[in-house]
């Protein structure tokens, strides 16, 4: 039991060093009062950014507290609790502590190491920092895996359109189209109606840039990073999925278990029977080494 030293000096030194590094790199919480004061038009995209920032703050506060408590435990100032031991074990094994994963509400220990997950968290924060500067204008293209609630963003795209044309939300649908842009840097300006997104991985087949449609995977290439995509709001009366595969999007490769719920269904062009891609278990993934 006791304060902190039982596991051997070498291991403790490694843990201390990793904890100090994370505390140093952990971003500051967003100032929500300041953010609210800068809003000019509280449109659905702004609401999405606010909700993301509030959730991000909760995660950062929780992680900072758990790292600070572990430091006190290692110093012998606090008895090592189960929560501290879990973080200690996570640092040693490079696996995300379950309590941290709960803050993101997805189980990612089979997908990312703790090191990669922490970097991912910092990258998510960086996107939000850019988004919430000034009057909170949405980025030209949104890194979809960088959102804690990607589903809410896709809904916001439809809400903005419905609001513009004074339509009820229940008549809204959306289509997705794949652009010829491999990275978002070449986007000159945001879409007038809809949104650009990037960072999504395709599993089970590949995207043919020349033909602009799904094709069989290249041998030994199970997953590929998709080009920039458009999320285009449409009304139900013109929603036509003929010639498209209704591609499910999951959080990660664990697919439809309780921790990797289906986020959405994207439309991907195909000139083959869409059943082929269903049988190949073709899906889009967000949390993947390729996407981040």
């Amino acid at each position: 039991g006791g304060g902190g030293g039982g596991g051997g000096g070498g291991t403790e030194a490694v843990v201390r060093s990793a904890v100090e590094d994370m505390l140093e790199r952990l971003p500051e919480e967003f100032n929500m009062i300041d953010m609210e004061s800068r809003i000019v038009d509280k449109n659905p995209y702004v609401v999405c950014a606010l909700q993301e920032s509030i959730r991000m703050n909760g995660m950062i506060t929780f992680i900072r507290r758990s790292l600070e408590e572990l430091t006190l435990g290692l110093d012998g100032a606090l008895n090592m609790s189960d929560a501290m031991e879990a973080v200690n074990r996570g640092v040693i094994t490079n696996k995300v502590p379950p309590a941290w994963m709960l803050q993101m509400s997805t189980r990612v220990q089979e997908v990312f190491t703790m090191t990669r997950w922490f970097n991912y968290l910092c990258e998510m924060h960086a996107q939000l920092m850019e988004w919430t500067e000034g009057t909170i204008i949405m980025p030209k293209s949104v890194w979809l895996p960088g959102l804690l609630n990607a589903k809410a963003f896709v809904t916001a795209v439809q809400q903005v359109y419905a609001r513009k044309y004074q339509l009820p939300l229940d008549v809204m649908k959306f289509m997705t189209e794949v652009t010829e842009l491999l990275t978002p840097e070449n986007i000159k300006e945001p879409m007038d109606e809809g949104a650009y997104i990037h960072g999504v991985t395709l599993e089970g087949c590949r995207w043919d840039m020349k033909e602009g449609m799904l094709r069989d995977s290249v041998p030994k290439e199970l997953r590929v990073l998709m080009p920039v995509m458009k999320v285009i709001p449409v009304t139900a009366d013109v929603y036509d999925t003929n010639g498209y595969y209704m591609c499910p999007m999951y959080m990660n490769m664990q697919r439809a278990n309780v921790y990797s719920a289906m986020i959405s269904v994207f439309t991907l062009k195909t000139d083959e029977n869409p059943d082929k891609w269903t049988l190949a278990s073709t899906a889009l993934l967000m949390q993947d080494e390729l996407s981040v």
Side-chain angles (χ1 to χ4, degrees):
T11 305
E12 186 180 311
V14 169
V15 172
R16 279 182 184 277
S17 172
V19 169
E20 280 170 21
D21 177 62
M22 283 190 278
L23 278 170
E24 204 172 288
R25 291 173 51 218
L26 193 66
E28 289 298 315
E29 287 88 341
F30 291 102
N31 183 333
M32 298 309 299
I33 295 168
D34 171 62
M35 199 185 288
E36 290 267 8
S37 73
R38 291 185 275 106
I39 295 170
V40 175
D41 170 23
K42 200 168 186 176
N43 61 51
Y45 293 139
V46 170
V47 171
C48 184
L50 289 172
Q51 289 171 342
E52 287 284 324
S53 300
I54 290 165
R55 277 191 65 186
M56 178 61 71
N57 279 357
M59 284 183 66
I60 291 168
T61 302
F62 184 89
I63 290 167
R64 180 175 286 112
R65 189 170 63 238
S66 76
L67 290 171
E68 287 171 348
E69 284 175 355
L70 177 56
T71 304
L72 290 169
L74 293 170
D75 289 344
L78 286 177
N79 285 329
M80 288 288 275
S81 65
D82 289 345
M84 290 182 216
E85 286 287 5
V87 177
N88 190 51
R89 197 162 48 247
V91 174
I92 293 166
T93 59
N94 205 11
K95 288 185 176 175
V96 186
W100 288 20
M101 279 191 288
L102 280 173
Q103 296 298 305
M104 200 181 272
S105 73
T106 63
R107 184 178 175 185
V108 293
Q109 80 269 39
E110 290 95 342
V111 182
F112 292 154
T113 60
M114 187 175 184
T115 311
R116 191 68 198 86
W117 187 87
F118 189 83
N119 290 341
Y120 176 46
L121 177 74
C122 294
E123 288 156 12
M124 293 169 92
H125 184 275
Q127 168 164 265
L128 271 177
M129 275 287 286
E130 183 192 333
W131 189 343
T132 56
E133 284 173 348
T135 54
I136 312 182
I137 306 297
M138 188 176 72
K140 289 174 188 170
S141 177
V142 170
W143 174 46
L144 204 64
L147 298 180
L148 289 160
N149 189 349
K151 201 171 191 171
F153 175 74
V154 173
T155 302
V157 174
Q158 297 166 79
Q159 286 172 324
V160 168
Y161 185 92
R163 185 170 150 179
K164 182 176 178 180
Y165 294 104
Q166 297 182 319
L167 297 166
L169 191 59
D170 58 7
V171 305
M172 293 305 304
K173 300 266 190 185
F174 74 93
M175 304 279 288
T176 49
E177 283 185 16
V178 183
T179 73
E180 293 182 356
L181 301 170
L182 288 172
T183 59
E185 286 77 33
N186 298 328
I187 296 170
K188 301 287 183 282
E189 53 190 44
M191 284 177 67
D192 185 36
E193 290 177 355
Y196 289 110
I197 58 154
H198 63 277
V200 177
T201 302
L202 180 67
E203 183 174 71
C205 67
R206 67 184 170 91
W207 181 258
D208 190 306
M209 288 285 281
K210 283 199 189 78
E211 296 186 33
M213 57 186 66
L214 295 173
R215 285 286 178 258
D216 290 327
S217 297
V218 175
K220 297 184 182 173
E221 193 176 65
L222 182 63
R223 299 193 299 282
V224 291
L225 186 63
M226 288 293 280
V228 174
M229 299 173 77
K230 295 177 181 178
V231 179
I232 304 163
V234 295
T235 49
D237 57 325
V238 293
Y239 180 68
D240 182 9
T241 58
N242 208 16
Y244 288 91
Y245 167 56
M246 305 300 287
C247 187
M249 177 186 279
Y250 298 103
M251 276 310 292
N252 54 51
M253 67 184 80
Q254 293 165 306
R255 302 290 186 105
N257 73 15
V258 68
Y259 297 106
S260 182
M262 192 168 84
I263 294 153
S264 196
V265 177
F266 278 18
T267 55
L268 297 178
K269 276 189 180 162
T270 181
D271 61 359
E272 300 181 70
N273 187 330
D275 290 350
K276 172 181 174 173
W277 307 119
T278 305
L279 291 168
S281 298
T282 297
L284 291 164
L285 309 174
M286 295 220 304
Q287 288 170 337
D288 183 82
E289 286 294 350
L290 294 174
S291 68
V292 297

